[in-house]
């Protein structure tokens, strides 16, 4: 019985939150405490939508489709690479009160703007303005249907108000957190001040089983029977929302979610046109006027000017002589990260060795930026530390809020799930095998980089507003930081004193050229060929060196005992220990250590599928790993990002003779140097640009990643400005690498309309998911030379 009891209590630990008081009060996101940040574009996964920072918020959004085209399925809603848009994203966004986005569809551009206005007790009002223009005057102007919608998510209700047959003029509604509100749909005009336009209207009012189903509901309701018949134009039938039948199946289940209201207002009109949608909060009683038309235009102008001013004040790109086009690019990069902030609420699916099956983590909110609105519109732990390096320059309060949300997700063990897949919308984008998060798995604690920035700001501007909130913030954060640090320090400890090892490497070694280490963030970067408990990883060693140093600083600032952290930091920061554990004298580089052989390759192999499975009588061919020479304990011969970590995180002393090798490898085109930035793995490495499996293309085995390049430029700047024998060399490389990175990311943006997940080391071309305005947006900091 005792054993059983122990087992079940151990099994609960993974899903038990840490008991220390939360950093964020329960009402910290409420409209009473934080009205300015209540409404926002916190739905990064849709092209245009808003919600409030509250659980199960009422959401609003936009879908659109072009009429009279052969193109089937051109309904746009969630950001999808498959839509093949020529580019989309925020060109201005202040993270709080307004944003301007441009969406370039095939032959027209939609500009989506929003402006908020404070008043009342529920986060105030806002207005949207959608402006549509065709690309080329040569062809006939496209007819477009905009579908504005509002949807509840289990709680709250919506009522549609229809006038003139099919035109939905407004939606009124009420919900727990918003009280009463009204959404009014303006009629399309040819532009501000211009007259009305011929338009057709349709609407849909139905129930939805969940926010992840909205696209399907609209698709299934489309009917081609409606006629578009402008005064002087051709009569043509067009697609519109009509009716959506709740299926019996759904009815029988009595799904509480079927209580959710979903209302769609469709306007079909020819470009050019402009439409406004006005949200008014019931508790906002004394508004001077409505936020529409010229009032809206004036308000937008004011916000744009304020944005431009703050941007220049923060990053100084004009003063540095960048062209206006380069500055536009940088504004778009920042704005996209701000516009990519999401508010997610729900539960992770987690598992420990004590759980036979995955279990649900407690429900909770996460306010976070996301790496990519199309492909990964959710929170990733180590990405977030990089995001906050940029966002902190713009708005430290925001950074504090985001860090607080992440640390409030920590469990009693001190573990934070790496990838946050919290609600149905998020889950709908992830294959099931990737959903479960395991509690032995880490991810680099980059939030310490962000904290380092915050501490520097506290030091430099002790009087600023953010510094005033900093001490209480740090005080509440501290117990959680302690247990987080402790979790790394114990669960990721290495085989010998003061060494560290990433857990959670791929287990099935004969299927991969090199078993992956997803937890390190560098996925397929080559590590020891045979994962074992004998491994030690140099990047993790360096992360722990950084983390212990920041822990010591925070403890000191708070007047808490800091000796233990300081000792750890002093030990790890000692270059003798670093060299002893990780310098390979043969290879002249810092390196992982483990059970390793270089003599591996993927070979075609004919295998018979076991009897009983389909096709078992036929041999199938698959790739398996062949190992030509047995592995042995040794340094892992790979030269690339991992080798650079002692330099990247400023652990090397400026007079270290290792600097010589590092700077040489960096500048060597046969190794890491390219005209577009530093490649992730040396060109001379045996695994350079090698696939890991049939289906796994090289990822961190050559391509250029901006997060690590940011750290590299930052390190060159650091070593180039402190005394030491390599000062000059570092300063020269700094200029070169900085220029290459800026030029390429900017050029690719001009060429393709996007900022990308990574860049080809042979052509500089953007590749992988896009838009990727997570860490690739750090280019702004490289331009601004803010490190
Ligand atoms: C797969 C597929 C629609 C991989 O930027 C997020 C992470 C980084 O943290 C990590 O360092 N990316 C990098 O190596 C993307 C990870 C995406 C995993 C989800 C699901 C979705 O298909």
């Amino acid at each position: 019985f005792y054993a059983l009891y122990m087992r079940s209590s151990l099994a609960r630990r993974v899903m038990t939150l840490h008991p220390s008081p939360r950093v964020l009060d329960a009402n910290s996101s409420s409209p009473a405490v934080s009205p300015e940040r209540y409404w926002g574009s916190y739905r990064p996964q849709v092209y245009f939508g808003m919600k409030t920072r509250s659980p199960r918020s009422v959401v609003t959004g936009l879908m659109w489709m072009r009429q009279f085209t052969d193109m089937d399925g051109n309904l746009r809603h969630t950001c999808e690479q498959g839509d093949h848009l020529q580019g989309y994203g925020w060109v201005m966004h202040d993270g709080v009160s307004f944003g301007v986005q441009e969406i370039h569809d095939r032959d027209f551009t939609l500009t989506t703007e929003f402006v908020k206005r404070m008043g009342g007790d529920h986060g105030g009002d806002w207005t949207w303005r959608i402006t549509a223009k065709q690309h080329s005057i040569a062809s006939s102007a496209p007819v477009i249907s905009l579908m504005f919608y509002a949807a509840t998510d289990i709680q709250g209700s919506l009522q549609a108000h229809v006038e003139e047959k099919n035109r939905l003029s407004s939606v009124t509604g009420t919900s727990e957190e918003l009280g009463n509100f009204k959404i009014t749909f303006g009629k399309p005009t040819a532009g501000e001040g211009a007259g009305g336009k011929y338009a057709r209207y349709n609407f849909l009012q139905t129930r939805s089983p969940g926010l992840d189903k909205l696209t399907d509901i609209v698709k299934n309701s489309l009917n081609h029977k409606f006629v578009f018949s402008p005064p002087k134009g051709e009569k043509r039938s067009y697609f519109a929302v009509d009716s959506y039948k709740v299926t019996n199946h759904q009815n029988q289940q009595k799904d509480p979610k079927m209580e959710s209201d979903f209302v769609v207002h469709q306007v079909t009109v020819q470009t050019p046109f402009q439409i406004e949608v006005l949200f008014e909060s019931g508790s906002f009683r004394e508004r001077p006027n409505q936020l529409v038309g010229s009032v809206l235009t004036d308000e937008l102008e004011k916000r744009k000017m304020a944005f431009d001013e703050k941007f220049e004040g923060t990053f100084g790109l004009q003063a540095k002589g960048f062209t206006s086009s380069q500055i536009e690019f940088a504004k778009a990069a920042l704005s996209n990260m701000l516009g990519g902030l999401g508010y997610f609420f729900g539960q992770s699916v987690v598992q420990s060795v004590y759980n036979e099956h995955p279990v649900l983590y407690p429900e909770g909110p996460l306010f976070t930026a996301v790496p990519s609105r199309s492909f990964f519109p959710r929170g990733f732990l180590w990405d977030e530390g990089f995001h906050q390096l940029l966002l902190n320059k713009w708005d430290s309060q925001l950074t504090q809020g985001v860090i607080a949300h992440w640390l409030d997700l920590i469990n009693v063990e001190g573990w934070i799930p790496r990838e946050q897949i919290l609600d149905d919308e998020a889950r709908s984008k992830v294959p099931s095998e990737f959903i479960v998060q395991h509690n032995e798995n880490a991810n680099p604690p980059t939030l310490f980089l962000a904290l380092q920035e915050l501490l520097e700001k506290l030091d430099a501007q002790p009087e600023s507003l953010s510094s005033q909130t900093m001490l209480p913030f740090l005080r509440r954060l501290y117990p959680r930081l302690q247990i987080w640090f402790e979790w790394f320090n114990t669960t990721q400890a290495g085989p010998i004193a003061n060494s560290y090892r990433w857990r959670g490497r791929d287990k099935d070694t004969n299927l991969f050229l090199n078993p992956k280490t997803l937890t390190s963030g560098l996925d397929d970067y080559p590590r020891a060929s045979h994962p074992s408990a004998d491994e030690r990883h140099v990047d993790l060693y360096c992360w722990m060196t950084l983390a212990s140093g920041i822990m010591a600083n925070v403890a000191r600032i708070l007047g808490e005992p800091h000796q233990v952290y300081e000792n750890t930091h002093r030990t790890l920061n000692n270059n003798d220990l670093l060299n002893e554990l990780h310098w390979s004298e043969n290879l002249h580089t810092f390196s992982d250590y483990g059970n390793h052989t270089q003599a591996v390759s993927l070979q075609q192999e004919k295998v018979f599928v076991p009897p009983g499975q389909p096709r078992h009588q036929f041999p199938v061919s698959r790739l398996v790993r062949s190992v030509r020479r047995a592995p042995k304990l040794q340094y892992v011969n790979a030269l690339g990002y991992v080798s650079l970590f002692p330099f990247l995180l400023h652990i090397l002393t400026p007079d270290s003779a290792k600097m010589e090798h590092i700077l040489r490898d960096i500048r060597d085109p046969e190794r890491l140097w390219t005209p577009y930035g530093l490649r992730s793995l040396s060109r001379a490495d045996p695994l350079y640009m090698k696939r890991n499996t049939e289906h796994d293309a090289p990822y961190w085995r050559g391509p250029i990643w901006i997060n690590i390049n940011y750290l590299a430029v930052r390190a060159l700047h650091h070593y180039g400005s402190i005394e030491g024998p390599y000062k000059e060399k570092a300063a020269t490389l700094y200029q070169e690498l900085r220029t290459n990175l800026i030029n390429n990311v900017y050029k690719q943006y001009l060429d393709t309309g996007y900022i990308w997940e990574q860049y080809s080391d042979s052509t500089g071309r953007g590749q992988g998911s896009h838009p990727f305005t997570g860490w690739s947006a750090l280019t702004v900091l490289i331009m601004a030379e803010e490190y």
Side-chain angles (χ1 to χ4, degrees), residues 723-764:
E723 282 320 312
Y726 307 100
K727 183 177 180 195
E728 313 282 282
K729 181 80 194 147
T732 312
L733 283 183
Y734 166 73
Q735 295 298 350
E736 273 188 284
L737 181 58
R738 171 173 179 258
T739 308
N740 288 350
L741 285 163
I742 296 171
N743 287 352
N744 189 56
V745 177
Y746 169 64
K747 174 178 187 300
Q748 297 302 319
Y749 178 73
L750 291 190
D751 286 359
T752 64
Y754 291 106
I755 293 174
W756 295 75
E757 184 181 20
Q758 32 149 287
Y759 294 87
S760 158
D761 66 316
S762 51
T763 63

Side-chain angles (χ1 to χ4, degrees), residues 371 375-376 378 380 382-383 419 429 431 521 523 699-700 775:
F375 231 62
F376 328 121
R378 53 187 176 274
F380 286 81
W382 92 301
D383 293 65
E419 189 174 342
K429 286 224 156 192
D523 300 19
Y699 202 38
W700 295 84
W775 57 46

Side-chain angles (χ1 to χ4, degrees), residues 229-298:
S229 165
K232 272 174 263 157
E234 217 187 316
K235 243 189 183 174
R236 288 182 286 181
S237 54
Y238 70 98
F239 283 103
V241 291
D242 189 6
S243 59
Y244 170 76
K245 301 236 167 4
V246 176
T247 63
N248 283 336
H249 173 69
Q250 282 160 336
N251 267 343
Q252 275 158 14
Q253 285 194 334
K254 290 226 181 347
D255 186 343
K257 289 186 181 173
M258 284 309 286
E259 295 307 306
S260 301
D261 285 331
F262 180 34
V263 182
V264 183
H265 163 67
Q266 176 173 347
V267 193
T268 302
V269 55
Q270 189 162 34
T271 63
F273 65 85
Q274 189 166 89
I275 299 185
E276 291 170 4
V277 176
L278 172 66
F279 175 95
E280 289 172 307
S281 168
S283 62
F284 191 165
R285 297 237 164 67
E286 268 132 53
R287 54 176 74 74
N289 47 28
Q290 281 196 319
L291 189 55
V292 292
S294 62
V295 178
L296 177 66
T297 304
D298 290 348

Side-chain angles (χ1 to χ4, degrees), residues 32-66:
V33 175
S34 184
E36 279 88 7
R37 294 190 199 275
Y38 198 50
W39 274 107
S41 52
Y42 305 133
R43 306 179 64 210
Q45 70 277 26
V46 297
Y47 287 116
F48 191 46
M50 301 215 333
K51 67 184 281 192
T52 57
R53 293 206 306 165
S54 54
R56 287 175 268 283
S57 156
V58 169
V59 305
T60 58
L62 173 70
M63 304 185 197
W64 73 91
M65 63 191 291
R66 192 194 188 293

Side-chain angles (χ1 to χ4, degrees), residues 83-203:
D83 287 345
H84 301 294
L85 300 189
Q86 293 167 31
Y88 63 93
W90 298 97
V91 292
M92 286 190 183
H93 198 305
D94 67 359
V96 180
S97 77
F98 97 112
V100 180
Q101 178 178 230
E102 277 173 17
I103 302 172
H104 305 287
D105 208 330
R106 266 180 223 116
D107 54 355
F108 59 93
T109 291
L110 296 180
T111 304
T112 66
E113 298 170 291
F114 77 88
V115 178
K116 286 161 53 179
R117 186 196 253 176
M118 286 302 113
D121 310 321
H122 299 87
D125 297 350
W126 49 256
T127 304
W128 290 0
R129 176 182 280 173
I130 315 292
T131 310
K133 291 202 173 90
Q134 74 181 111
H135 287 167
S136 115
I137 314 293
S139 52
S140 74
V143 174
I144 299 165
S145 293
L146 298 186
M147 293 139 163
F148 296 99
Y149 67 80
T152 62
D153 186 12
I154 302 179
Q155 57 94 18
S157 68
L158 300 170
Q159 296 83 39
H161 302 277
V162 182
E163 66 175 37
E164 307 157 28
K165 276 201 345 219
N166 273 340
R167 193 180 110 79
L168 193 68
S169 58
S170 66
V171 172
T172 53
T174 174
S175 77
E176 281 164 26
E177 74 285 1
L178 280 175
N180 296 326
F181 57 86
K182 179 176 183 189
I183 304 173
T184 309
F185 301 105
K187 288 187 173 175
T189 64
E192 202 205 315
K197 292 204 64 154
Y198 171 83
R200 290 295 319 260
Y201 299 101
N202 302 82
F203 77 95

